[in-house]
Amino acid sequence: MTPEETVRAYYDALRAGDPLAPFFVESPRTVKVGISERLVGYAEVAAGLREQTRTTDDWRVESHDLTVVERDDCAAVSDEVSLSWYDGEAFAERSFETRWSGTLLASDDDWAFAGLHVSAATDLDAGTDR
């Protein structure tokens, strides 16, 4: 898979409720920053993603501007993504316009995130900029 195919496969897995941890490098230095958390180390990232999958449903993931720069065995990615999902713990729909950036590393024929940062550009529920 190419880095772009890996990112698109991650989006598909998120929509489908499939495991997301396999998309990350198994390292204590792996980092995932989400809208409301910062997870450091593969174990913490994997646990956070399992909890997210357990407590959410009906993900809508719409990529608007995926950009990938590949150099040898690493790649930088950036995207603007409309996200929405059902929060099963709060019994509420959540929607955000988000900005994504990340670094992927190559291993064998696959790519995995060493770092992923997702931030909210606009809270569609409140209609305010962040």
Side-chain angles (χ1 to χ4, degrees):
M1 251 196 293
T2 68
E4 181 174 343
E5 290 168 337
T6 300
V7 173
R8 293 193 186 282
Y10 182 84
Y11 294 164
D12 289 342
L14 183 56
R15 286 183 199 103
D18 293 340
L20 299 171
F23 288 90
F24 288 83
V25 174
E26 291 188 35
S27 165
R29 294 179 181 235
T30 295
V31 176
K32 180 187 175 292
V33 177
I35 293 171
S36 62
E37 82 281 328
R38 180 174 182 268
L39 306 170
V40 179
Y42 178 79
E44 191 173 316
V45 170
L49 290 168
R50 279 191 305 274
E51 181 66 7
Q52 172 184 295
T53 300
R54 185 186 72 75
T55 61
T56 61
D57 288 303
D58 301 326
W59 282 84
R60 181 179 53 87
V61 182
E62 295 179 19
S63 170
H64 300 292
D65 190 24
L66 180 58
T67 303
V68 178
V69 177
E70 184 179 342
R71 298 283 189 270
D72 300 322
D73 62 350
C74 63
V77 299
S78 174
D79 201 357
E80 294 180 16
V81 180
S82 298
L83 286 179
S84 66
W85 66 92
Y86 180 74
D87 180 337
E89 292 189 327
F91 304 106
E93 294 287 332
R94 305 288 184 207
S95 295
F96 294 91
E97 292 301 316
T98 61
R99 299 169 291 211
W100 294 50
S101 60
T103 303
L104 292 105
L105 300 179
S107 64
D108 301 323
D109 291 330
D110 288 328
W111 291 82
F113 287 105
L116 177 61
H117 184 119
V118 178
S119 59
T122 303
D123 180 345
L124 296 179
D125 291 334
T128 59
D129 289 337
R130 291 192 189 240

